[in-house]
Amino acid sequence: MAAKQHKAVGDDLWKARTEKINAELFTLTYGALVVQLIQDYEDYAEVNKQLEKMGYNIGTRLIEDFIARSNTGRCNDFREVGEVIAKVGFKAFLNITPTVTHSSLPTNPLVGTSSAAGLIGSVGSSFTLTLDENPLAEFVELPDEALEGELWFSNVLCGVLRGALEMVQMQVEAVFISDVLRGDDTTEIRVKLVKYLEEEVPVGDD
């Protein structure tokens, strides 16, 4: 599927959603969650872990809804995975379209195949999502203490990506590498393919 087609699918999915919530309410609710975690754990590294864990649990469930609604079919390679996430996934659920930048393949890449997902790609390849806007971070300004503690305010997004892709047999590392809330010029998430996972065969099946 071409990039323009991916964008059109994402636009249609967002317009078709009937359960949209007020953007400001969504932002404030997420902000309250982060504040509560900070109060509970008093450790920004642990808050980052908890946000990622929450996102992972969301992602493992969100992927079913995404597949059912998008009808995009299987991606041909990890590059197309990045395009679908940026142009269809983010658009459908957050009404934003990050810019996706694909890395060059690593030197002497290990080629991995997943018969279950129908993918062929290079382990170690990655893409970067640049968020020109981030609904989670609207109206947010991090205090110096959070900056010094290296809080990744929107780390839930990394967990969502990891959880969703694991459900379609891809183990990835998803991490923020920059955030305008921390004084960076851009907000970027890097997603790196670790390995393809094989679908588990139920006991008793050949």
Side-chain angles (χ1 to χ4, degrees), residues 33-204:
L33 168 66
V34 176
V35 169
Q36 187 61 53
L37 287 174
I38 292 171
Q39 292 174 348
D40 289 346
Y41 290 96
E42 299 181 344
D43 180 335
Y44 290 107
E46 187 59 34
V47 171
N48 289 337
K49 290 180 183 178
Q50 292 300 319
L51 288 172
E52 202 275 347
K53 183 178 179 181
M54 287 181 180
Y56 173 85
N57 291 330
I58 293 170
T60 58
R61 292 163 175 76
L62 211 60
I63 187 66
E64 292 183 12
D65 178 66
F66 174 74
I67 291 173
R69 289 172 179 270
S70 67
N71 195 32
T72 51
R74 293 173 177 173
C75 295
N76 295 314
D77 52 32
F78 197 61
R79 172 179 287 267
E80 187 176 1
V81 170
E83 296 292 331
V84 170
I85 287 173
K87 296 181 173 63
V88 186
F90 270 87
K91 181 64 180 181
F93 292 108
L94 292 177
N95 195 28
I96 62 173
T97 306
T99 301
V100 57
T101 306
H102 301 278
S103 70
S104 54
L105 295 178
T107 306
N108 297 322
L110 296 172
V111 176
T113 357
S114 170
S115 56
L119 287 167
I120 299 176
S122 298
V123 171
S125 57
S126 65
F127 56 83
T128 300
L129 300 168
T130 302
L131 282 64
D132 294 325
E133 50 186 327
N134 178 5
L136 296 180
E138 291 289 332
F139 321 116
V140 174
E141 184 175 339
L142 296 182
D144 290 341
E145 183 181 335
L147 293 173
E148 292 168 4
E150 299 189 348
L151 172 68
W152 292 108
F153 184 83
S154 305
N155 213 39
V156 68
L157 295 177
C158 293
V160 170
L161 292 170
R162 184 171 70 88
L165 290 176
E166 188 171 300
M167 291 298 100
V168 288
Q169 285 76 58
M170 281 175 278
Q171 182 179 333
V172 303
E173 292 176 353
V175 295
F176 271 95
I177 55 176
S178 63
D179 189 346
V180 293
L181 290 180
R182 295 173 61 163
D184 299 317
D185 292 333
T186 57
T187 298
E188 296 180 320
I189 301 173
R190 178 174 295 144
V191 183
K192 179 181 177 181
L193 177 62
V194 176
K195 67 178 180 179
Y196 290 112
L197 306 170
E198 290 302 321
E199 223 167 10
E200 292 185 4
V201 179
V203 176

